[in-house]
Amino acid sequence: MIFSSRTSWHRHPNRLSELLERHRKSGAHIYDLTISNPTECGIVYPEKEILSVLSDPEAFPYKPDPRGLISAREAISLYYRKQNIGVDPSNIFLTASTSEAYSMIFKLLCNNGEDILVPRPSYPLFDYLAQVNDVVLRQYNLEYDHEWQIDCTSIANEISSKTKAIVLVHPHNPTGAFIKHDEYSNILEIARTHHLALIVDEVFIDYPFDNDHTRLSSTACQSDVLTFTLNGISKLAGLPQMKLGWIVVSGDSSVTREAAERLEILCDTFLSVNSPVQVGLPHLIKIGESVRRQIQERIKKNLVTLHEHMTAKTSCSLLNSEGGWYAILRVPQTKSDEEWALELLEKKGVSLYPGYFFDFVNDGHLVLSLLSDERTFLSAVSKLKAYIDSTA
Ligand SMILES: Cc1ncc(COP(=O)(O)O)c(C=O)c1O
């Protein structure tokens, strides 16, 4: 076999993507509640301003720096300083995306077959990132009881002699749960005891639905435990096409120094972030504030619509959430999530994610994006509610 077993993926469309394709070809209207691309849902971008930032002559000479241009790292440091978090620019590493950041950290920490703990439910990219880096994933649980919580006992139970790190998603996709102070203390204790690193994905941290003092702020520079805090402008500034993410390395100074030295060589091997986006980053973060505000507004309005529809009389309910771009509906387990998703698409033209895409332990969950434009969202939610009520 010429190909690696690492890439022997199932490559056929699933039932839902086949149905979606058929629907699109037939010209039927689709109410898309899976949209996660902010550039395609009617958000108004100052396009000319954004594109002109990318044509700064400063970006023409090639000045490779494995950590990224200092001007870009200072802009990121300023982003943290505005939240009263001191991050030394020399502990920041630019990457082409958060996904690439994960990949770099997996390479930095894991030998073949060593493992990393990830939350369940969770978003599907981890499986691929783990496979391409020959890392084994072990899952710890998030539990829902009026709100989502990290099951710290399941973290402790899943640790093996090969475990290197715990991934935390803050706030989590798709549950929207932020890490709380008490959860963080427990997790730090576990990490110290077992000599594990933390990998904290904060791509949705600037999308809280409200304020709550029990929530942790960014983990960049919070503790002695070796921590890799990830973020990027794909969500922060609604600019996924710009391909820029970053890693902040923090923790006890000796281990942080060694991690940074090793990471520098890893990043130097690829030098994957283009110069125009690095030179433009200070402006893109600034311009992105208006984009972020629009996305936040959109999400708030769509959440109100959801709350108005999911009353006590309906047979589906909305799980409590704290932030991010997604919402989770609990639906009757009279059929599988996949059947609900197929029927809603077939009968009502509403496209959403079945819970199994996110590896929910049980059936009874549908995940929808809060990014769709308000009119589409309203029509889709009333259609799906009427359908579920009539068939449950
Ligand atoms: C939790 C989470 N982390 C990371 C990413 C990927 O971000 P990026 O576009 O920076 O690779 C996503 C994408 O949806 C995500 O949901």
Side-chain angles (χ1 to χ4, degrees), residues 49-103:
E49 203 185 339
I50 292 173
L51 292 174
S52 74
V53 159
L54 298 176
S55 53
D56 188 328
E58 264 294 299
F60 195 76
Y62 185 40
K63 296 179 187 160
D65 181 328
R67 295 181 194 222
L69 289 182
I70 185 66
S71 55
R73 289 184 282 126
E74 277 168 351
I76 295 165
S77 180
L78 178 64
Y79 159 76
Y80 287 105
R81 197 153 63 246
K82 287 184 176 167
Q83 306 163 51
N84 293 321
I85 298 169
V87 174
D88 180 342
S90 65
N91 287 330
I92 298 172
F93 291 79
L94 302 192
T95 59
S97 63
T98 321
S99 309
E100 189 188 56
Y102 273 114
S103 207

Side-chain angles (χ1 to χ4, degrees), residues 97-168:
S97 63
T98 321
S99 309
E100 189 188 56
Y102 273 114
S103 207
M104 296 280 187
I105 297 163
F106 286 5
K107 284 187 182 70
L108 173 70
L109 299 176
C110 292
N111 295 310
N112 275 11
E114 288 183 326
D115 61 70
I116 300 252
L117 303 192
V118 293
R120 173 184 187 155
S122 195
Y123 92 119
L125 199 67
F126 286 135
D127 287 331
Y128 292 94
L129 286 170
Q131 276 169 32
V132 297
N133 289 293
D134 297 320
V135 166
V136 174
L137 294 183
R138 296 171 74 90
Q139 295 177 309
Y140 67 87
N141 294 328
L142 305 180
E143 301 288 352
Y144 185 78
D145 181 11
H146 301 288
E147 61 171 7
W148 287 97
Q149 285 165 356
I150 297 174
D151 178 353
C152 292
T153 313
S154 83
I155 295 189
N157 289 343
E158 281 305 316
I159 293 171
S160 76
S161 57
K162 292 186 173 175
T163 307
K164 304 305 280 287
I166 305 169
V167 170
L168 302 166

